[in-house]
Amino acid sequence: MEREGAQSAARALGRVVTVTLNPAVDLFVSVKRLQPGTLHRVPTPLQHAGGKGINVAKMLAGLGVPAVATGFLGGNRGNWLHEEIVRQGVDSRFVRIADESRVNVKVIDEDGTLTELNSPAPQFTEADWRMFGDTLKQLCTGADSWLALCGNLPAGCQLDWYKNVIEWAKAHHIKTLLDASGEAFALGIEAKPDVIKPNQHELEQLLGQTLTSEEDVVRAATQIARAGVGLVVVSMGEQGIVAVTSSVAVHVRVPRVPVVSSVGAGDTVVAGLLYGFIHRLSLPEAVRFAAAAGTAKVQKPGNLHPSKADIEDCLKTTVIVEMGE
């Protein structure tokens, strides 16, 4: 009953539609130390529905926020992904394609080192893209909706796809969050989304410069915000999160914790931000909640998500600090 009440309250405020164009079955394998060319006997692998937008939607659903996940699914793996997404409380509205959804293998050493073996994207037809465009327009309705565009674009997709979708969303008064990288990210930013969420490395790639201090990050993020992006949120690992608008900068510091798995930590930060926006928290408190969510996530194995209680525990030592403190 408590979760139903939370979902009803969140539904009254708005919902989130997440886009994952290239989902995967993520298979996590733990080893003491990865040694190429040798036999490894491993504990039972963990299998998760993977993809940045899917991760965001699962986390939001766990926090009681209505979440819809869309993109492309195909074959038996696609069937499993759909069932797993629904099992976790997400409204799965993926377009079905003929080709098989991909599988990714993630090997984690005892010291936390991650080795990833990712397979290529399936093939999409022009009819698949048309159907997906129609689906997205049907799902994104209402001024209180958020559209979260997450992850890299699959091969064959136009690099300005995010840009075009953001322009369409803005014309229909739908708020947008972009979490991507590379040229598609740069082009998407030209459409001036409401929020972008790069990590420090992605911000450096975007600007073609090394950022060696918190002040450098703030200056770089402010430059992007003043060009028209509403909010730039930069995750900086152990240094926490910097969030910048054209006139305000917020820095949230996080506690040092043991890192079990960093996979999906950035997606959990995105979900935490959206949770804060949906519940109309102030900007500093929304960023603080997102930072605590990311900190709670890295303490979980594989791609498991933290609970609200886990996040609240991390909130006790997650603090907002004055810039330059």
Side-chain angles (χ1 to χ4, degrees):
M1 291 298 293
E2 181 179 342
R3 179 169 176 176
E4 290 177 2
Q7 288 177 326
S8 297
R11 191 174 293 110
L13 294 173
R15 71 170 183 173
V16 177
V17 177
T18 70
V19 172
T20 310
L21 294 177
N22 195 18
V25 175
D26 281 349
L27 189 66
F28 288 81
V29 178
S30 296
V31 297
K32 186 174 181 63
R33 186 165 65 89
L34 182 62
Q35 296 178 300
T38 66
L39 172 67
H40 297 76
R41 300 194 183 278
V42 301
T44 302
L46 298 175
Q47 186 166 291
H48 300 286
K52 292 179 71 64
I54 291 173
N55 291 338
V56 172
K58 290 189 296 184
M59 184 70 223
L60 285 169
L63 293 172
V65 174
V68 183
T70 189
F72 297 104
L73 293 178
N76 290 329
R77 293 190 200 120
N79 293 337
W80 182 88
L81 285 164
H82 169 76
E83 292 172 2
E84 181 65 10
I85 292 164
V86 170
R87 185 185 69 81
Q88 297 194 42
V90 176
D91 186 358
S92 175
R93 300 291 190 92
F94 285 81
V95 170
R96 294 306 182 111
I97 60 174
D99 210 356
E100 188 83 29
S101 292
R102 62 187 182 139
V103 60
N104 296 333
V105 179
K106 302 177 185 295
V107 184
I108 303 175
D109 284 28
E110 192 174 54
D111 64 0
T113 301
L114 173 66
T115 302
E116 298 186 87
L117 307 171
N118 290 351
S119 57
Q123 297 295 312
F124 308 108
T125 67
E126 290 186 10
D128 294 334
W129 283 109
R130 286 195 299 271
M131 187 177 298
F132 178 69
D134 292 341
T135 298
L136 195 59
K137 291 174 183 177
Q138 292 169 6
L139 293 175
C140 295
T141 58
D144 291 325
S145 293
W146 275 92
L147 175 61
L149 303 163
C150 306
N152 294 324
L153 297 176
C157 181
Q158 295 293 322
L159 288 174
D160 63 354
W161 190 86
Y162 281 146
K163 179 182 179 181
N164 294 335
V165 171
I166 292 166
E167 289 173 345
W168 169 83
K170 288 169 71 72
H172 290 80
H173 310 290
I174 297 162
K175 295 180 285 292
T176 54
L177 184 152
L178 177 62
D179 181 15
S181 60
E183 189 173 353
F185 186 43
L187 290 171
I189 289 172
E190 291 181 5
K192 301 178 176 59
D194 293 278
V195 182
I196 64 171
K197 208 294 297 169
N199 58 35
Q200 183 172 338
H201 176 65
E202 290 164 343
L203 184 61
E204 290 174 334
Q205 284 187 318
L206 179 67
L207 298 176
Q209 58 185 267
T210 301
L211 307 173
T212 59
S213 68
E214 174 189 306
E215 290 73 21
D216 286 346
V217 171
V218 171
R219 279 193 293 270
T222 302
Q223 174 185 334
I224 295 170
R226 288 180 177 168
V229 173
L231 174 65
V232 181
V233 179
V234 186
S235 51
M236 302 171 64
E238 292 181 349
Q239 298 179 62
I241 291 179
V242 166
V244 177
T245 70
S246 60
S247 58
V248 175
V250 175
H251 184 198
V252 173
R253 289 197 178 127
V254 297
R256 284 186 175 272
V257 297
V259 176
V260 177
S261 172
S262 61
V263 176
D267 307 328
T268 304
V269 169
V270 168
L273 286 169
L274 291 167
Y275 175 91
F277 300 152
I278 289 288
H279 287 276
R280 297 175 184 168
L281 301 182
S282 67
L283 174 59
E285 287 300 330
V287 176
R288 179 169 171 262
F289 185 89
T295 303
K297 164 64 197 82
V298 299
Q299 299 176 74
K300 298 291 182 181
N303 203 11
L304 293 178
H305 296 288
S307 66
K308 184 73 177 297
D310 294 327
I311 297 171
E312 289 173 346
D313 188 54
C314 287
L315 275 170
K316 298 172 185 175
T317 49
T318 301
V319 296
I320 302 165
V321 297
E322 294 296 330
M323 296 306 303
E325 182 180 306

